[in-house]
């Protein structure tokens, strides 16, 4: 029951990322009739990508988790985690620095690079995998969800089902927007434009907060343990 309550909430948090919301909105904002096959191919690919990553993490958890815990609890492990936390905090400031904001204002930054994919000739499946790779290290809710599944008493079949459900919920908002776009046409373009504008303005700032919080957690948890 705890998993059934926690996993959908985590999946919905993940649904607000670049790969699962921003790029699908861009696909839906293309002029003319919405190309459903293109949108479905993108969402299916990114959901399958995360499902495959999740399966790999769940499979490795049985033998890798005890080793990782032992390594993290060693003095060298605490030092590595502390340095990683400091690096993440520095990166978070770089993501939202004045220079980065100015670069975004002039059409640069991560969102601009993703935006170029919208009009490129790359297959949407390739774009989905690339977006997933960019986001993977910052998808904290997804990693937490996998941790909850791996630490539960769920059977392998149930764990796979929970993971598949998570990936489905993760793309549900984009699917809902596709349904509105297909049913109402240009009448929902205003909503899509507002979502797009918000992500363009706040997307990288939100990413910097996620990275920074993760870095602070690592620093706080390991600062006093280095050398012990």
């Amino acid at each position: 029951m705890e998993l059934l309550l926690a996993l959908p909430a985590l999946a919905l948090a993940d649904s607000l990322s670049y790969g699962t919301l921003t790029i699908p909105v861009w696909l839906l904002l293309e002029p003319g009739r919405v190309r459903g096959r293109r949108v479905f191919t993108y969402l299916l690919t990114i959901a399958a990508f995360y499902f495959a990553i999740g399966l790999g993490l769940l499979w490795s958890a049985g033998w890798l988790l005890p080793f990782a815990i032992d390594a993290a609890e060693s003095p060298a492990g605490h030092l590595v985690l502390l340095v990683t936390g400091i690096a993440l905090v520095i990166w978070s400031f770089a993501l939202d620095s004045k220079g980065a904001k100015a670069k975004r204002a002039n059409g640069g930054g991560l969102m601009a690079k993703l935006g170029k994919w919208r009009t490129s000739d790359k297959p949407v499946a390739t774009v989905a995998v690339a977006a997933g790779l960019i986001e993977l290290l910052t998808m904290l809710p997804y990693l937490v969800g996998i941790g909850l599944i791996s630490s539960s008493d769920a059977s392998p079949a149930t764990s796979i089902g929970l993971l598949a459900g998570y990936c489905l919920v993760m793309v549900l908002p984009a699917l809902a927007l596709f349904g509105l776009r297909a049913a109402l046409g240009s009448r929902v373009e205003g909503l899509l434009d507002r979502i797009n504008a918000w992500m363009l303005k706040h997307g990288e700032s939100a990413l910097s907060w996620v990275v920074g919080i993760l870095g602070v957690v690592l620093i706080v948890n390991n600062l006093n343990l280095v050398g012990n």
Side-chain angles (χ1 to χ4, degrees):
M1 182 57 67
E2 291 179 356
L3 283 176
L4 293 178
L5 292 174
L7 291 179
L10 292 168
L12 287 174
D14 267 339
S15 72
L16 303 178
S17 70
Y18 298 136
T20 53
L21 186 63
T22 305
I23 295 178
V25 165
W26 287 343
L27 295 175
L28 294 173
L29 280 171
E30 289 183 351
R33 184 177 179 181
V34 62
R35 290 188 282 177
R37 182 176 180 180
R38 183 173 167 85
V39 177
F40 274 119
T41 298
Y42 177 86
L43 292 176
L44 178 62
T45 302
I46 197 164
F49 173 80
Y50 281 114
F51 180 70
I53 294 295
L55 281 181
L57 291 174
L58 284 176
W59 174 78
S60 63
W63 60 270
L64 183 60
L65 191 60
F67 171 79
I69 292 174
D70 290 340
E73 292 298 328
S74 68
H78 289 305
L79 179 60
V80 169
L81 291 174
L82 176 62
V83 172
T84 301
I86 294 172
L88 288 175
V89 170
I90 294 172
W91 184 30
S92 72
F93 280 107
L95 284 171
D96 210 28
S97 65
K98 290 183 179 180
K101 290 179 180 178
K103 187 176 181 180
R104 292 198 293 268
N106 293 324
L110 177 60
M111 294 301 293
K113 293 178 182 178
L114 293 176
K116 292 177 181 178
W117 290 348
R118 177 186 174 187
T119 55
S120 72
D121 294 329
K122 292 183 176 69
V124 289
T126 302
V127 174
V129 173
L133 288 171
I134 289 174
E135 292 182 328
L136 194 56
L137 294 178
T138 60
M139 290 194 73
L140 190 58
Y142 186 59
L143 297 178
V144 172
I146 291 174
L148 290 175
I149 295 173
S150 65
S151 61
S152 70
D153 295 327
S155 67
T158 301
S159 297
I160 292 173
L162 289 170
L163 185 63
Y166 187 106
C167 294
L168 174 62
V169 173
M170 195 168 61
V171 297
L172 276 182
L175 285 173
L177 290 174
F178 167 74
L180 288 174
R181 177 72 167 82
L184 301 177
S186 60
R187 284 174 287 181
V188 298
E189 287 183 1
L191 172 63
L192 296 174
D193 282 330
R194 287 192 291 274
I195 295 173
N196 182 48
W198 190 93
M199 292 298 293
L200 288 173
K201 184 176 181 180
H202 301 289
E204 289 186 50
S205 294
L207 175 61
S208 72
W209 275 99
V210 172
V211 172
I213 290 171
L214 181 57
V216 170
V217 169
L218 290 176
I219 292 171
V220 170
N221 287 340
N222 293 278
L223 184 60
N224 295 326
L225 298 173
V226 172
N228 294 337

